[in-house]
Amino acid sequence: LTSVDWMGQLMELPCHTIVTGHIGFVEDKVTGKLETGLLLEGKLSEKVPLVFDEKYVTRATQSSSGVVYKLQTRNDGYYKAETRMGGMKFETFEEPDLRALLKKAGRAWEDRPGLFTESATTDPQGDKEE
């Protein structure tokens, strides 16, 4: 399996899954313009993002009350952000609250059960496995 295959399997888990990464800078060879993308080696920087429905960029700005964080949900020509679930419901910059974004998109926002629960470590007689 390739790393892209592994990412696809990760996204099929029955839970909300968040993957974080760093932004890399690439110069467009034709225009000379700097572009951003996921910091990965070679073609992976183009292939891996295709696995995900939502691609947000965290933006931090300094204000009189300290650092303010926002999630960028749309491409601005420099940072490649994208939302499928938000469509036209999301502003370009949203509060970094994933539950609020799920609610705004009309999606289930409640916590889902964990993959590893107490019952998963208990045998049929009710004794905990060592």
Side-chain angles (χ1 to χ4, degrees):
L1 292 176
T2 68
S3 56
V4 175
D5 295 329
W6 281 107
M7 287 286 184
Q9 288 184 355
L10 178 68
M11 298 311 296
E12 290 176 10
L13 292 173
C15 59
H16 297 296
T17 305
I18 299 170
V19 178
T20 63
H22 293 277
I23 295 174
F25 298 91
V26 179
E27 183 177 358
D28 184 303
K29 291 178 173 58
V30 176
T31 65
K33 181 179 171 186
L34 271 183
E35 296 180 345
T36 63
L38 195 57
L39 182 60
L40 290 168
E41 195 63 36
K43 297 272 185 197
L44 282 178
S45 63
E46 297 169 14
K47 290 180 180 180
V48 169
L50 298 176
V51 175
F52 300 98
D53 292 332
E54 304 294 301
K55 299 168 203 78
Y56 305 139
V57 175
T58 303
R59 303 286 296 268
T61 56
Q62 188 66 41
S63 74
S64 58
S65 59
V67 179
V68 175
Y69 294 95
K70 295 284 186 178
L71 290 181
Q72 182 176 332
T73 65
R74 289 193 178 89
N75 191 338
D76 66 0
Y78 186 69
Y79 289 106
K80 294 178 182 175
E82 177 181 0
T83 180
R84 292 182 186 165
M85 75 172 182
M88 297 309 293
K89 297 175 184 176
F90 288 1
E91 301 296 324
T92 300
F93 295 98
E94 291 279 355
E95 293 297 319
D97 181 341
L98 296 177
R99 283 187 180 160
L101 291 175
L102 287 165
K103 284 181 189 179
K104 196 172 189 177
R107 301 288 182 98
W109 57 269
E110 300 85 0
D111 287 339
R112 295 182 181 175
L115 293 176
F116 304 104
T117 62
E118 184 74 23
S119 62
T121 59
T122 305
D123 71 22
Q125 285 77 34
D127 297 327
K128 295 217 179 210
E129 295 178 3
E130 299 292 325

